[in-house]
Amino acid sequence: QVQLVESGGGLVQPGGSLRLSCAVSGKIFSPYVMGWYRQVPGKQRELVAKITSGGMTHLANSVKGRFTISGDNDKNTMYLQMNSLKPEDTAVYYCNLGGLTTAWGQGTLVTVSS
């Protein structure tokens, strides 16, 4: 069974940076897509960024130029580097695996506030 565990969330001032990590345990099979989603109360969960097993990446327009998604296969970990954070980036961020196996992490809260 695949499990995803996020970490790295917290409180940061506008303009600051955070790096989220998603640790993957269990066996996953290619092809797959891993992604970061976020959700605020009362709104739908939205895609922030995704990366395929082939290394292709996609970023939502709202985070292009500020966020970077990457993966480290040796560490079985996916990352989301978030720079120039804005108050509207405040949300619970979830890690997702899609493909032959699907899974969600439990979420990590990111709060951008002065």
Side-chain angles (χ1 to χ4, degrees):
Q1 184 177 359
V2 175
Q3 290 189 321
L4 309 177
V5 179
E6 303 99 333
S7 61
L11 173 64
V12 63
Q13 291 187 341
S17 298
L18 282 175
R19 188 177 78 159
L20 304 183
S21 300
C22 173
V24 181
S25 62
K27 180 67 176 177
I28 60 175
F29 299 92
S30 297
Y32 60 83
V33 179
M34 292 200 69
W36 288 99
Y37 289 75
R38 65 188 181 187
Q39 188 170 25
V40 297
K43 292 191 176 181
Q44 283 191 323
R45 194 171 294 188
E46 64 173 1
L47 175 67
V48 176
K50 59 183 178 181
I51 183 167
T52 71
S53 48
M56 294 186 67
T57 62
H58 168 82
L59 294 167
N61 287 335
S62 59
V63 305
K64 280 181 180 176
R66 300 188 298 123
F67 291 11
T68 304
I69 186 171
S70 63
D72 186 332
N73 290 333
D74 291 336
K75 295 183 178 180
N76 292 332
T77 302
M78 177 178 67
Y79 303 99
L80 184 68
Q81 178 65 44
M82 305 186 295
N83 299 328
S84 301
L85 282 161
K86 304 175 181 180
E88 52 263 43
D89 295 317
T90 296
V92 177
Y93 284 71
Y94 296 91
C95 175
N96 170 261
L97 168 68
L100 296 175
T101 302
T102 61
W104 286 94
Q106 82 288 351
T108 186
L109 176 62
V110 172
T111 303
V112 184
S113 175
S114 55

